[in-house]
Amino acid sequence: MKVLPEKTVERLSKYRRTLSLELEKDEKYIFSHELANLLHLTPVQVRRDLMLIEYSGSHKRGYEIHNLIDHINTIIDPKGLVPVVIIGMGNFGKAVAHYFIERSRGFKIVGSFDRKTSHCTEGFPGLPCLPMDDLESFIKEHKVKMGVITVPPNQAVAIYNRLIEAGIKGVLNYTPKPLTPVDGVFLEEYDMITSFEKVNYFIG
Amino acid sequence: MKVLPEKTVERLSKYRRTLSLELEKDEKYIFSHELANLLHLTPVQVRRDLMLIEYSGSHKRGYEIHNLIDHINTIIDPKGLVPVVIIGMGNFGKAVAHYFIERSRGFKIVGSFDRKTSHCTEGFPGLPCLPMDDLESFIKEHKVKMGVITVPPNQAVAIYNRLIEAGIKGVLNYTPKPLTPVDGVFLEEYDMITSFEKVNYFIG
DNA sequence: TAGATTGTTAATCGATTAACAATC
DNA sequence: TAGATTGTTAATCGATTAACAATC
């Protein structure tokens, strides 16, 4: 299958979670307009996304929820459990860890790093907390594919370079420091300051 | 001036911060290609954005940094200090508070709320920590314009409705629970799970 | 059948980029 | 002047939505 548009992948992630909630309510089938309503999208957009992943429903009953979830799984988690590390265990890093411990599907947080290991030793049983020096060796040993950068902004570039050097495949940058895209490494950035200033502007 | 595209507003936020850093390095002028390189954009995009805010540079020296920052200020912070509240002082809420205490330009965190006020009493001197019950009265009394939702997902909808009811103008939703857009209230959502799953997909 | 829905192409919309005149 | 840059229109690209045939 051709590589999917970023926006479609984002929506598939949301479809899957919404569908799982419906399944828990013992729903078996869902129409495109129902799924669309739950996510404030249009039914056409839902159907087009499903078309792109070559999934078909029935005219009478819509889409079979359990089956569709399985299909989305094969599309967006084709690789089993991808190992992830978090670098920087301040409040933000802790929030990320807290979010994904036990709750992830296609990936698993396998390690956390901080300049002061005292920042991460407590609170996350089963999640190793390591000094920065061990970053490269840990990544190589555990075949870590994805790194989450939650260090202070002035350390972001150095950490990023070390991740690249160690052979990481994807980076999530939560610092406001813009990083330089590198071939073969998927880079996703979220800048909280920008979001705040955007809301501030559109409050009008 | 016509309302700016969302993407342009986002970049203006980044231009401003990058320009401030250049100013600190005693740079006085900057060319569009220099600013573009710092943010991994194209020079045309920079110039087009500046065209949209009706700012002109010189052919010889590019843009006068200090002056451009001031101009961006008038565009994206035309309202003085906008009061903001954070609802939910777990790790994520703390990260947000930590980020913006003393560091914000167009807005100010004036209050934080949690079911357990013990979550927020320590750590942020000068930031009031209040029980949920006081939410509406605080918003009205302090003319709060913007609310940041960092509660657990199952409380998000209830808090959102209370914010709307209390007359909030902008909402930043950091829970994975999608909220329903309401006329006259700007809603910005960031879903961390989606970002993770997206990176996971594009690692390929 | 009539009505509701899916699946898909074509049109539209919005954002980015190419092209280039004007200027210093 | 020649070269570099800005400012702006037109073209392109990508994503969304409208339209509608096919199906149950």
Side-chain angles (χ1 to χ4, degrees), chain A residues 109-120:
Chain A
I109 314 283
V110 294
S112 63
F113 294 83
D114 203 286
R115 279 198 172 171
K116 295 194 173 163
T117 48
S118 59
H119 280 170
C120 48

Side-chain angles (χ1 to χ4, degrees), chain A residues 31-33 47-48 51 56-59 63:
Chain A
F31 290 119
S32 60
H33 65 262
R47 292 203 300 277
R48 202 176 204 292
M51 185 194 89
S56 300
S58 98
H59 292 96
Y63 303 92

Side-chain angles (χ1 to χ4, degrees), chain A:
Chain A
M1 185 182 309
K2 266 181 61 176
V3 66
L4 298 168
E6 290 203 14
K7 294 295 172 68
T8 294
V9 174
E10 293 178 13
R11 284 189 297 266
L12 288 172
S13 164
K14 291 174 201 287
Y15 296 159
R16 178 164 70 174
R17 277 174 279 152
T18 304
L19 292 167
S20 295
L21 292 175
E22 292 304 297
L23 204 56
E24 281 173 22
K25 290 191 221 153
D26 276 329
E27 298 290 336
K28 297 279 178 281
Y29 290 87
I30 197 166
F31 290 119
S32 60
H33 65 262
E34 294 173 319
L35 183 52
N37 284 341
L38 290 165
L39 288 160
H40 311 297
L41 303 170
T42 65
V44 202
Q45 191 155 61
V46 169
R47 292 203 300 277
R48 202 176 204 292
D49 286 333
L50 299 188
M51 185 194 89
L52 291 176
I53 61 170
E54 295 167 10
Y55 188 81
S56 300
S58 98
H59 292 96
K60 263 281 189 294
R61 294 187 290 185
Y63 303 92
E64 207 271 290
I65 296 177
H66 183 79
N67 197 26
L68 175 50
I69 293 174
D70 278 352
H71 189 73
I72 296 177
N73 288 344
T74 67
I75 302 289
I76 66 178
D77 300 331
K79 298 172 294 295
L81 270 192
V82 168
V84 179
V85 291
I86 303 174
I87 305 100
M89 287 299 275
N91 287 318
F92 209 115
K94 284 200 183 104
V96 174
H98 185 79
Y99 235 73
F100 290 109
I101 294 288
E102 304 281 333
R103 213 191 306 195
S104 49
R105 229 188 256 245
F107 48 83
K108 181 172 168 56
I109 314 283
V110 294
S112 63
F113 294 83
D114 203 286
R115 279 198 172 171
K116 295 194 173 163
T117 48
S118 59
H119 280 170
C120 48
T121 35
E122 11 89 7
F124 302 103
L127 177 63
C129 170
L130 303 155
M132 285 296 186
D133 287 345
D134 297 358
L135 187 56
E136 287 86 349
S137 60
F138 188 90
I139 288 174
K140 284 170 185 163
E141 192 182 330
H142 291 80
K143 298 183 168 46
V144 174
K145 295 282 183 297
M146 183 171 155
V148 183
I149 304 181
T150 43
V151 296
N154 62 336
Q155 297 167 38
V157 174
I159 294 295
Y160 181 59
N161 292 336
R162 289 175 62 184
L163 290 176
I164 302 289
E165 198 56 40
I168 211 95
K169 291 284 177 249
V171 171
L172 241 165
N173 175 26
Y174 282 118
T175 78
K177 175 81 199 165
L179 300 175
T180 309
V182 166
D183 267 1
V185 180
F186 186 82
L187 174 62
E188 173 83 359
E189 309 197 282
Y190 178 74
D191 176 359
M192 192 181 276
I193 300 176
T194 294
S195 286
F196 266 70
E197 298 192 332
K198 185 178 165 187
V199 175
N200 194 13
Y201 174 81
F202 283 105
I203 283 175

